[in-house]
Amino acid sequence: MGFITRYGSFWGQIPQTSGRVFWVAPSATYTVEGRSYSASDNNDGLSPERAVLTLDYAIGLTTASVGDVIVLLPGTHTMAATATADVAGIIITGIPQNAASYTTRMPSGPARNRAIVTAAASTVAITVTAADVEIANLHVLAVSAAISINVHNSADRCFIHDCTFSSQGVAESTSTILINVGTGTGTSTLNEDTHIRNCYFRNEGGNGAAVRASGTCMNLMIENSTFMHSGDTAWVDAIALAGGESLGTVVRDCDLLVTATGTTVTDFIDATDTATDGAAAIVYRCYVPVGGGAFNVTATADGIVVDSYTAGSTGTNTVLATS
């Protein structure tokens, strides 16, 4: 294969690693460099010419915490069953398209990533149950009434970045969640240090949150991301801190955009369901449109808002909606 180095880089954009690189095809027959190949979970996956067929099988080939990388080749990867990232320290990535964006905010726009991940009806696409898993450069298509990426309590330090998400064209449901953090059974009772960065979320209509902290989360960080809402139904929450005693949540350098006239987002960030008052979330350098709440909390101590503005105003830095 051309352009593949002994260190595992593909056209110079796959992460440099001392581990192995496994390749996953989007279908049983796929094309690389103009040639057609057959994918199978009987392959070893160690070359684009010998790609495996399912992400879940590729995860099972990896070794924990040695730098193994899984690359999803361009095309639509439909999960017939949930792919469970239960091996610590692995990277799951698509091949980056164009230059990576390292600007202050993730630019709005359509899918930039050609490795598309979706799932069968009512199926979670990817569940993360191990620590230090990184997910990058994927375009994730939502499934109605299902979670797209589910980060369990045991998946500390999960890093999701440079991904695009879309719920366009799916049947509207408040149970449609793009990223859910802090759930699952096991010995861990909370998720720590999940980081969501440089992502683009496109919501259409009255679906659930783009990011939801459904359990107890410590130091959840959401930064440099764009949340776009379209359709004729209000979006209740873009970010929902929905349960447990979430502590130290940081939302910074994020934009909320609304494209449909007269359609609102009820709350950019909703923390009214957190169990304990005073578990402060910090929001700074975020912009939201007029017509919806910016930050909804039950007590002022739950939210600290700094240098965040409503479009069209002179920018008073206050909690804009409390109940």
Side-chain angles (χ1 to χ4, degrees), residues 27-111:
S27 57
T29 302
Y30 65 102
T31 301
V32 173
E33 291 187 347
R35 294 188 291 273
S36 181
Y37 300 96
S38 295
S40 170
D41 283 347
N42 292 319
N43 291 345
D44 62 14
L46 291 172
S47 164
E49 299 170 309
R50 305 189 304 276
V52 300
L53 187 55
T54 62
L55 172 59
D56 197 60
Y57 185 80
I59 293 169
L61 296 174
T62 60
T63 301
S65 304
V66 297
D68 282 356
V69 176
I70 297 172
V71 181
L72 275 63
L73 288 165
T76 300
H77 299 253
T78 301
M79 309 299 165
T82 300
T84 301
D86 55 0
V87 180
I90 63 172
I91 297 174
I92 300 171
T93 182
I95 297 172
Q97 301 296 310
N98 305 313
S101 174
Y102 297 108
T103 56
T104 301
R105 287 173 169 80
M106 171 69 180
S108 62

Side-chain angles (χ1 to χ4, degrees), residues 262-321:
T263 302
T264 65
V265 177
T266 306
D267 297 308
F268 177 36
I269 305 165
D270 186 356
T272 58
D273 289 333
T274 52
T276 302
D277 287 335
I282 302 173
V283 180
Y284 54 99
R285 296 193 303 269
C286 292
Y287 300 145
V288 299
V290 172
F295 196 3
N296 194 8
V297 298
T298 56
T300 301
D302 286 344
I304 300 171
V305 182
V306 181
D307 290 336
S308 296
Y309 298 90
T310 299
S313 74
T314 56
T316 303
N317 297 325
T318 59
V319 176
L320 300 183

